[in-house]
Amino acid sequence: AWLNLPHRRNGGLIAKMGTANGFRGFDLWLNGNKLAAHLISTFPNDTIKVTTKGLFPRKTWFHAMVTYDGSRKAKGLKIYINGKSSPLQVDNDTLKGSIKNDLPLTVGRRQNSPHVLYMQITGLQIYNRTLTPAAVSYTQFTLPTIFSV
């Protein structure tokens, strides 16, 4: 997805997760001045969380993508910024259970959580397979036209 984040707060950017049932699900999380991804069966003991070591571009459009290979290991979870794999800090690497839930996919928040204010998003794409680094390459993505009225 293409994102424009004017502030550095915390909150779910793209999520299929709620606050009930041990936070089961997944999300792309705004973590202050960094991005994080969670895969959670039951928080905090059955989860993967990785956080970018670098900062994301602020007050400008950038492309963010998360890939996961199904391994239940943090090394199988990647975050790309503008087509480049971001170095990650592994915060949790204990996932054993399922992350499946019946919640809808939400944009700008987790289910039953506050919205991330003033964020902009466009071009959200979800794949049913792990993309290769070449497929994620920034050169294959162009910012969709944004209309302001």
Side-chain angles (χ1 to χ4, degrees):
W2 285 92
L3 301 169
N4 189 340
L5 305 172
H7 57 74
R8 300 193 184 277
R9 298 188 179 130
N10 293 331
L13 298 173
I14 302 162
K16 190 173 182 330
M17 175 191 296
T19 55
N21 197 22
F23 290 89
R24 179 171 292 193
F26 64 86
D27 70 4
L28 176 61
W29 180 258
L30 176 60
N31 196 44
N33 57 2
K34 299 178 180 182
L35 296 179
H38 293 96
L39 301 175
I40 299 174
S41 182
T42 305
F43 186 80
N45 298 321
D46 194 357
T47 180
I48 296 172
K49 179 184 178 188
V50 296
T51 304
T52 58
K53 290 182 178 179
L55 310 180
F56 63 82
R58 187 170 169 235
K59 295 183 179 180
T60 187
W61 287 98
F62 69 96
H63 190 264
M65 180 174 277
V66 177
T67 64
Y68 175 59
D69 66 5
S71 66
R72 296 188 182 178
K73 299 290 181 194
K75 69 180 179 181
L77 188 57
K78 309 282 186 213
I79 300 176
Y80 294 85
I81 304 292
N82 291 334
K84 294 182 172 67
S85 182
S86 294
L88 300 174
Q89 170 183 313
V90 176
D91 301 303
N92 297 84
D93 194 6
T94 58
L95 184 65
K96 295 176 189 68
S98 173
I99 65 169
K100 291 183 181 179
N101 65 42
D102 294 327
L103 296 172
L105 183 74
T106 56
V107 175
R109 70 183 184 116
R110 290 177 176 167
Q111 188 78 16
N112 301 321
S113 292
H115 286 87
V116 175
L117 299 177
Y118 311 113
M119 71 170 277
Q120 294 177 295
I121 184 171
T122 191
L124 174 62
Q125 298 177 338
I126 298 176
Y127 298 86
N128 64 356
R129 66 190 186 284
T130 302
L131 297 182
T132 65
V136 176
S137 171
Y138 177 64
T139 58
Q140 295 184 11
F141 295 96
T142 56
L143 178 61
T145 303
I146 308 298
F147 294 97
S148 297
V149 179

